[in-house]
Amino acid sequence: MNILITDSIHLSFFKEMENTAFEIDYRPEITQEQIMEIIQDYEGIIINSKTQADRKMMEKGEKLKFIARMGSGMEIVDVEFAKEKGIACINTPEGNRDAVAEQAVGMLLSMFCHLHTADREVRNYEWEREKNRGIELGGKTVGIYGYGNTGSAFAKRLTGFDVQVLAYDKYKTGIAQGHVKESTPEEIFENADVLSIHLPLTEETRHLVDYEFLNRFKKHFWLINTARGQHVKTVDLLRAIREGKVFGAALDVLENEKIHALSPEQKDWFEALIAERKVLLTPHTAGLTRESKEKIARGLATKIIALQSL
């Protein structure tokens, strides 16, 4: 079976695939256009976020038996059309769940203790102690929207912080355990001091967090998004921050992450985000650790080998 790899992958993948019948064409620099020129020669393709496995690709790739996605987000794959074509879809959300969860905790603590702003101030010879007085996480209620791999890993890492976790997942039940209470959106809106988003991107979840959603919270609260930028309507979030409804936001993802190619409207909200002291920004690095890259590679190899035996 011929496999095309279209992005950088950890070397452990190749070690796991030794002594198998797979022939691997490793082309991490390949473009979408170049893929379309050769996809008909492959029975499997491994992609990352730069590549779209859309209907057009699958129609051209008549031999395709599987599409494997490094990481979790399947919005780059037309999964429904793949099912119609009998093409298996594989991803590895378990590979970076620990990395995402750890960054979410780090971002939460940074917001509470003003670490990101205090660091910049000291570097500018500003010694503002009272302005940077923090708050403690203990005793707070953390709402988690989406309780899959990353949501549950985030909850696990909150175990030692003396918090109540309210976990909501539309498609899961029986998730209560220890400090985690299976919850409803209404309970989260009523009680949460923090909301962390851990959802896949679908038409149902796109712009879920808009002005109406934010104002359903009874308390002022903090928002963390390490999932997908399109979950949050940025202009509405900025409005809620200015009005005081949202105390602060930690965003690892943005609606448009091509920050050098923003539309005039997008540039407006981006400039507002970077000027806002209450916003902590990182460049989609939650999930990007040395360990997660290896876990994703090994996980993909295991799943691809298992496919062959079916």
Side-chain angles (χ1 to χ4, degrees):
M1 183 183 290
N2 294 333
I3 302 174
L4 174 64
I5 303 179
T6 66
D7 214 323
S8 172
I9 195 167
H10 194 273
L11 291 176
S12 60
F13 176 83
F14 302 99
K15 185 168 183 61
E16 294 291 326
M17 299 297 279
E18 287 177 358
N19 303 316
T20 69
F22 295 97
E23 295 182 17
I24 299 168
D25 188 2
Y26 184 45
R27 301 182 62 177
E29 305 303 322
I30 197 169
T31 65
Q32 185 88 21
E33 292 73 22
Q34 290 169 332
I35 292 170
M36 290 300 295
E37 293 172 3
I38 61 173
I39 189 61
Q40 67 273 6
D41 298 329
Y42 298 92
E43 294 161 290
I45 184 170
I46 298 175
I47 65 174
N48 211 340
S49 53
K50 77 173 187 180
T51 303
Q52 296 289 317
D54 55 15
R55 185 186 188 106
K56 186 177 178 182
M57 177 191 288
M58 287 182 243
E59 287 176 338
K60 186 82 180 291
E62 295 178 353
K63 295 181 182 178
L64 282 175
K65 291 183 169 57
F66 74 83
I67 297 167
R69 202 280 199 224
M70 301 181 209
S72 58
M74 295 299 284
E75 69 275 6
I76 61 174
V77 180
D78 188 335
V79 176
E80 291 305 312
F81 188 67
K83 287 179 182 176
E84 291 179 24
K85 297 279 286 182
I87 301 171
C89 293
I90 303 167
N91 66 338
T92 49
E94 69 283 357
N96 61 4
R97 63 187 172 196
D98 295 332
V100 174
E102 289 180 13
Q103 178 155 326
V105 172
M107 295 179 89
L108 177 56
L109 294 175
S110 183
M111 280 198 297
F112 272 31
C113 299
H114 309 295
L115 299 182
H116 56 297
T117 52
D119 173 78
R120 288 200 298 266
E121 289 169 358
V122 173
R123 292 173 190 272
N124 288 323
Y125 288 82
E126 300 173 42
W127 197 260
E128 298 282 357
R129 296 185 67 222
E130 190 59 38
K131 186 170 76 171
N132 287 298
R133 184 181 291 273
I135 61 170
E136 297 176 12
L137 188 51
K140 302 295 187 297
T141 299
V142 179
I144 297 179
Y145 241 69
Y147 205 70
N149 281 281
T150 60
S152 58
F154 177 55
K156 180 180 178 181
R157 278 151 183 79
L158 293 172
T159 303
F161 285 100
D162 189 28
V163 298
Q164 169 76 69
V165 172
L166 302 179
Y168 168 69
D169 194 304
K170 185 176 180 178
Y171 301 100
K172 285 190 174 185
T173 58
I175 57 180
Q177 185 178 10
H179 65 303
V180 179
K181 178 186 177 185
E182 187 173 330
S183 190
T184 64
E186 290 69 29
E187 287 180 281
I188 292 175
F189 294 141
E190 183 74 30
N191 298 292
D193 300 292
V194 175
L195 176 68
S196 191
I197 306 294
H198 298 275
L199 297 167
L201 182 61
T202 65
E203 287 308 308
E204 183 180 20
T205 63
R206 190 181 302 273
H207 282 173
L208 172 72
V209 183
D210 59 10
Y211 189 71
E212 180 183 358
F213 180 96
L214 295 166
N215 277 284
R216 291 178 70 183
F217 284 80
K218 302 302 181 186
K219 301 180 182 180
H220 304 295
F221 70 102
W222 288 263
L223 176 71
I224 306 169
N225 187 13
T226 54
R228 289 293 181 264
Q230 295 93 332
H231 291 318
V232 178
K233 194 170 183 179
T234 311
V235 291
D236 289 359
L237 173 61
L238 284 163
R239 180 181 174 188
I241 290 172
R242 289 163 182 157
E243 292 176 355
K245 187 66 181 184
V246 175
F247 279 140
L251 307 175
D252 181 56
V253 288
L254 298 176
E255 283 187 82
N256 184 355
E257 296 179 359
K258 296 177 180 177
I259 59 174
H260 298 295
L262 300 174
S263 69
E265 180 183 2
Q266 291 169 339
K267 191 169 183 181
D268 285 344
W269 60 244
F270 182 70
E271 294 289 346
L273 280 178
I274 61 178
E276 178 55 67
R277 176 184 172 87
K278 295 178 181 178
V279 174
L280 168 60
L281 299 167
T282 52
H284 205 148
T285 51
L288 226 60
T289 61
R290 294 181 178 89
E291 292 84 356
S292 69
K293 188 168 186 178
E294 181 171 357
K295 289 176 187 176
I296 287 169
R298 289 185 183 278
L300 278 179
T302 299
K303 292 179 181 182
I304 291 169
I305 292 169
L307 265 184
Q308 192 183 37
S309 64
L310 294 178

